[in-house]
Amino acid sequence: MPQPLEIAVDPDVYLRPNYSDDWHSETTSIGSSIYHGLMENGRRYQTLSDREYLVPSDDLAFESYEAGHLLALVLDSERENPLFRAPIEKDPKHILDIGTGKGNWAIDVADMFPSTTVRGVDLFPPPITWMPPNCILEVDNILEEWTWRDPLDLIHMRIMTGSFDHAGWDHVYASSYRNLRPGGWIEQLEGSTCIDCIDDSLPADSILRTWGPTMNACGERAGLAMDVLDAMSDRMEKAGFVDLQEKSYKWPIGPWAREQKYKEAGVVNFQHWLSGMEGWCMWLLTHFGAPHPWSKDEVTVFLAKVRSELKNPKYHIYQRARRVWARKPFPGELTPETTPIKSDEE
């Protein structure tokens, strides 16, 4: 079994001008959007689905999606292809990106494969003014019947914890299985809702230690599946996928790591949190907070405390993350009842 990755702490982080002050500045949001949606607590949410969706669809959310995309690229930057690991054929015909967000992944993959039709689908239109001619960004509800006729070579998902309930996830994996060509691949990358620490630098009473349990409890009360990180491989196998493989990551938060790749990833992930955390928790806490739904002001105070602790570079904090990819078997292929999962850690 591979040894768990340990990220070395940079003892001179305070002395480095590139990371001493500007790493924790809060960037301004991207340009205003022309799209409209349901406004609640100052955030805009999608109106396509008849069910409420916990993550907003507004400028700050799209900024968070972009930071999440960059984070994934940095942590696989040593690879020739940092966008996915599924060993698809060299000339794929059709690729689908579920929960495409701002469309960054779909656009990059379309650039990589100019002759491939790459579709990105989400509940809200992204603020994109240009994309490659072979990239199509669509507004659709993935929980409804899929209407794409061409069999897919690859289906991709990323950072979608809390998007569906358990039945919804089963539907997504079953629909993915049906719509992939034999030998086609599914791939998913997810980060943990919980914040961990590689040493004893984070106090036991830190509010950061309460973030994950609080979000998970709210999600459960909302009926949402918050176990996506640890359950996705089992759900893929249940849907019929084989040849399951996975890679584990540690996503640093802040520039405390010694190695440059992880230092840069930590800075990007910090911005991911700054732009994303209000959207991740506002709907959950104001609808399903305990012992009663929180007010917007209570959430604002909570976020101020979280933000203050996130900015402390003495805290060597990170998120667990996992990438899983699996294949749809060919007709007549013998599939064992239990498929060993090939695992790697970084």
Side-chain angles (χ1 to χ4, degrees):
M1 293 291 293
Q3 294 298 315
L5 171 72
E6 295 299 334
I7 305 176
V9 177
D10 183 358
D12 300 323
V13 64
Y14 309 103
L15 306 179
R16 298 176 185 271
N18 290 340
Y19 300 105
S20 59
D21 296 316
D22 61 342
W23 72 273
H24 54 59
S25 64
E26 298 191 35
T27 58
T28 56
S29 61
I30 59 176
S32 61
S33 171
I34 63 172
Y35 302 107
H36 300 281
L38 173 67
M39 296 299 299
E40 181 179 303
N41 292 315
R43 303 302 299 266
R44 184 186 61 210
Y45 295 82
Q46 65 82 27
T47 55
L48 177 67
S49 172
D50 60 1
R51 59 177 287 274
E52 293 181 280
Y53 187 64
L54 72 91
V55 179
S57 299
D58 54 19
D59 293 348
L60 201 57
F62 287 124
E63 185 178 314
S64 174
Y65 296 150
E66 195 159 22
H69 177 63
L70 181 57
L71 173 64
L73 293 182
V74 169
L75 286 171
D76 273 324
S77 57
E78 76 284 356
R79 291 177 52 83
E80 181 179 357
N81 172 14
L83 292 166
F84 59 88
R85 290 183 175 244
I88 64 173
E89 295 182 354
K90 294 182 179 180
D91 188 25
K93 297 297 187 292
H94 297 278
I95 293 176
L96 177 65
D97 183 31
I98 297 175
T100 195
K102 196 177 178 183
N104 303 88
W105 187 91
I107 291 171
D108 285 356
V109 173
D111 280 335
M112 178 183 294
F113 300 107
S115 62
T116 302
T117 298
V118 181
R119 296 180 185 273
V121 62
D122 213 322
L123 291 171
F124 200 88
I128 297 296
T129 57
W130 180 92
M131 66 191 73
N134 59 317
C135 183
I136 303 170
L137 299 183
E138 300 181 357
V139 176
D140 206 347
N141 185 354
I142 207 71
L143 294 181
E144 302 294 336
E145 181 180 357
W146 294 18
T147 58
W148 301 293
R149 297 182 179 180
D150 298 303
L152 299 163
D153 297 274
L154 173 65
I155 295 175
H156 173 263
M157 294 180 280
R158 181 177 61 193
I159 311 180
M160 293 186 64
T161 296
S163 296
F164 313 117
D165 59 19
H166 295 283
W169 275 114
D170 288 340
H171 173 85
V172 169
Y173 292 126
S175 298
S176 298
Y177 186 90
R178 286 194 301 270
N179 285 270
L180 281 165
R181 66 165 181 79
W185 290 81
I186 185 173
E187 181 163 331
Q188 186 169 359
L189 173 64
E190 297 293 338
S192 174
T193 57
C194 295
I195 294 177
D196 290 304
C197 185
I198 67 166
D199 51 26
D200 59 358
S201 60
L202 187 65
D205 60 351
S206 167
I207 197 169
L208 296 181
R209 294 190 182 274
T210 71
W211 172 275
T214 299
M215 295 304 106
N216 290 342
C218 288
E220 290 173 4
R221 287 190 288 271
L224 300 173
M226 305 300 287
D227 62 345
V228 180
L229 174 72
D230 295 313
M232 55 185 171
S233 56
D234 289 339
R235 288 185 175 129
M236 288 181 191
E237 187 174 33
K238 176 184 175 182
F241 289 100
V242 298
D243 197 12
L244 275 74
Q245 301 173 59
E246 68 176 45
K247 182 174 180 60
S248 296
Y249 301 84
K250 288 181 178 178
W251 289 350
I253 306 174
W256 53 263
R258 184 189 300 271
E259 186 177 339
Q260 186 65 20
K261 180 177 78 169
Y262 296 109
K263 186 181 295 293
E264 292 177 357
V267 172
V268 172
N269 198 21
F270 176 81
Q271 293 297 331
H272 183 220
W273 273 79
L274 276 191
S275 55
M277 62 184 183
E278 181 185 275
W280 302 336
C281 77
M282 180 64 76
W283 183 86
L284 283 174
L285 289 173
T286 56
H287 286 260
F288 297 97
H292 51 73
W294 295 18
S295 69
K296 179 184 177 182
D297 288 343
E298 288 175 315
V299 176
T300 300
V301 171
F302 172 69
L303 287 172
K305 295 177 181 178
V306 172
R307 188 179 296 110
S308 176
E309 291 197 4
L310 284 174
K311 289 182 178 181
N312 190 338
K314 295 180 180 179
Y315 296 162
H316 307 144
I317 53 178
Y318 70 94
Q319 296 169 266
R320 290 190 305 120
R322 177 176 292 119
R323 184 189 300 271
V324 176
W325 59 104
R327 178 174 57 84
K328 179 176 179 176
F330 293 99
E333 182 177 357
L334 296 177
T335 58
E337 293 184 2
T338 302
T339 305
I341 299 177
K342 301 175 183 178
S343 177
D344 188 15
E345 294 207 14
E346 179 175 305

